[in-house]
C-alpha cells in the first residue's frame, strides 16, 4: 500500500463553521477534512501470545515488540504524524507475575539506554506519561535523562505510557485543580473542561484522532480516555510484534475512509468538506 496520504494544508473556514467550533474540539473544519491523523495512539497487545505460539518465553515476545515500536516510530515520522502515543505498561499491569514485571522494567531501562541516541538523531521528542513514582530510582533517572536529551527536538512527539491509566490521568488533573480552588488560586466556576485539559499528561498536544489496538481484543482498556473522546477506533487481530509498516498504513487508510461527524449530521459534514 502506498504511504502517500494527501492532506489539504490550508483548509478554509466559514463564519457558520466558527459557530459550531465553540462546542467541539479544535478547529472543526480541519478535523472534518483530515485524511491523515495528527495524533495516533496504539495499544500494543499480543507480545506474550506471539511468543507462546512459537513456544518461546513471554519475555521474548516483549523483546520482539521493541522492533515493532521502532517500525511504528519510523512510519509515523515518515508520514508526518505529529504525536504517537504507545501504551507500554498500564497501571493494571502490576498484577502480572512478579518475574514478568521485573523483566519488563529491565527491558524498559535497556531500551531507553539503547534507543535514545537514535531518537535524538531523528529529532523525535520523547515523553514518558504516567505515574513514574513507583519505578526504581535507577529507572526514574534514566527516564529523566532521556526526556531531557530530546526536549528540544522538533519532530515526532513520542509519548510512552508507563504505569499509566486514563482514569488516573483525569483524577490527577482534577486534584491539581481542586488544590487551586482550595488555596483560592481559582474559583470553582473556573474548573472547566479547558482547565482540566491543561493539566492532563499530554496537555500541549492534539487530541487523539486514531486509536489502534493490536492483538484481537476490542476494548480501550483505560487508555487516554479523555484525549480519545473523538478518536476513530481500529482493532486488528495482528499481534504487536507482527505490526509492520503495511499494517500501520492500512489503519491510516481506514481512518481516511471514515466520516468523522462530531455529533453533526452527514449532510453538515458534506457541506464542510465542500468548502
Amino acid at each position: 500500500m502506498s504511504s502517500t496520504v494527501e492532506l489539504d494544508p490550508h483548509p478554509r473556514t466559514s463564519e457558520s463553521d466558527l459557530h459550531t467550533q465553540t462546542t467541539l474540539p479544535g478547529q472543526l473544519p480541519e478535523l472534518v477534512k483530515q485524511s491523515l491523523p495528527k495524533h495516533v495512539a496504539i495499544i500494543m497487545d499480543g507480545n506474550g501470545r506471539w511468543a507462546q505460539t512459537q513456544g518461546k518465553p513471554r519475555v521474548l515476545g516483549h523483546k520482539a515488540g521493541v522492533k515493532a515500536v521502532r517500525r511504528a516510530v519510523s512510519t509515523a515520522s515518515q508520514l508526518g504524524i505529529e504525536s504517537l502515543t504507545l501504551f507500554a505498561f498500564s497501571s493494571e499491569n502490576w498484577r502480572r507475575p512478579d518475574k514478568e514485571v521485573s523483566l519488563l522494567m529491565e527491558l524498559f531501562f535497556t531500551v531507553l539506554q539503547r534507543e535514545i541516541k537514535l531518537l535524538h538523531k531523528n529529532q523525535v521528542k520523547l515523553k514518558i506519561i504516567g505515574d513514574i513514582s513507583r519505578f526504581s530510582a535507577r529507572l526514574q533517572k534514566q527516564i529523566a535523562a532521556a526526556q531531557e536529551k530530546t526536549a528540544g527536538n522538533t519532530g515526532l512527539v513520542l509519548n510512552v505510557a508507563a504505569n499509566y491509566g486514563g482514569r488516573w490521568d483525569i483524577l490527577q488533573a482534577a486534584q491539581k485543580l481542586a488544590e487551586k480552588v482550595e488555596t483560592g488560586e481559582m474559583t470553582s466556576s473556573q474548573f472547566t473542561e479547558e482547565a482540566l485539559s491543561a493539566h492532563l499528561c499530554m496537555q500541549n498536544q492534539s487530541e487523539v484522532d486514531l486509536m489502534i489496538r493490536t492483538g484481537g481484543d476490542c476494548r480501550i482498556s483505560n487508555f487516554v480516555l479523555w484525549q480519545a473522546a473523538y478518536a476513530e477506533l481500529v482493532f486488528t487481530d495482528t499481534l504487536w510484534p507482527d505490526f509492520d509498516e503495511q499494517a500501520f498504513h492500512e489503519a491510516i487508510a481506514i481512518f481516511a475512509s471514515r466520516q468523522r461527524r462530531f455529533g453533526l449530521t452527514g449532510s453538515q459534514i458534506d457541506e464542510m468538506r465542500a468548502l
Side-chain angles (χ1 to χ4, degrees), residues 51-244:
Q52 289 171 337
T53 58
Q54 301 187 41
K56 299 177 181 179
R58 287 175 58 86
V59 67
L60 292 184
H62 295 305
K63 290 182 178 179
V66 173
K67 296 179 181 179
V69 168
R70 293 194 194 107
R71 292 194 297 264
V73 171
S74 177
T75 302
S77 296
Q78 291 170 11
L79 289 172
I81 291 170
E82 294 178 2
S83 298
L84 176 65
T85 301
L86 303 177
F87 208 1
F89 190 85
S90 76
S91 50
E92 289 79 19
N93 285 156
W94 292 106
R95 302 169 187 168
R96 293 187 175 188
D98 290 344
K99 183 177 180 180
E100 181 172 350
V101 171
S102 178
L103 288 169
L104 282 170
M105 292 299 103
E106 191 59 33
L107 179 61
F108 189 19
F109 180 86
T110 301
V111 169
L112 281 174
Q113 271 191 323
R114 291 180 178 176
E115 302 296 322
I116 194 62
K117 289 184 180 179
L118 184 60
L119 293 175
H120 186 49
K121 179 181 179 181
N122 288 282
Q123 283 295 302
V124 175
K125 183 176 183 177
L126 178 67
K127 293 179 67 68
I128 306 299
I129 61 172
D131 181 7
I132 67 170
S133 63
R134 192 169 175 180
F135 296 151
S136 68
R138 173 172 171 261
L139 180 53
Q140 289 185 49
K141 183 178 179 180
Q142 189 65 35
I143 288 172
Q147 292 186 135
E148 183 179 356
K149 186 175 183 66
T150 64
N153 290 346
T154 57
L156 173 74
V157 177
L158 174 61
N159 304 295
V160 177
N163 195 26
Y164 175 90
R167 290 178 177 177
W168 167 85
D169 196 4
I170 296 169
L171 177 61
Q172 62 87 27
Q175 288 173 333
K176 290 177 182 177
L177 291 182
E179 289 173 2
K180 290 185 177 182
V181 172
E182 287 180 355
T183 59
E185 193 174 335
M186 64 183 290
T187 65
S188 58
S189 63
Q190 293 174 311
F191 196 131
T192 61
E193 285 189 18
E194 291 75 15
L196 193 144
S197 293
H199 289 79
L200 294 171
C201 286
M202 299 185 288
Q203 66 269 34
N204 297 319
Q205 300 177 49
S206 300
E207 291 192 356
V208 175
D209 298 305
L210 170 63
M211 181 185 288
I212 303 167
R213 180 171 188 145
T214 64
D217 289 331
C218 299
R219 54 179 177 270
I220 59 176
S221 297
N222 193 26
F223 185 40
V224 291
L225 299 178
W226 183 281
Q227 298 91 335
Y230 287 93
E232 293 296 321
L233 307 180
V234 173
F235 300 102
T236 173
D237 291 332
T238 302
L239 301 176
W240 177 245
D242 294 325
F243 190 83
D244 56 14

Side-chain angles (χ1 to χ4, degrees), residues 43-58:
I43 300 175
M44 306 180 294
D45 199 9
N47 288 339
R49 282 174 286 154
W50 180 88
Q52 289 171 337
T53 58
Q54 301 187 41
K56 299 177 181 179
R58 287 175 58 86

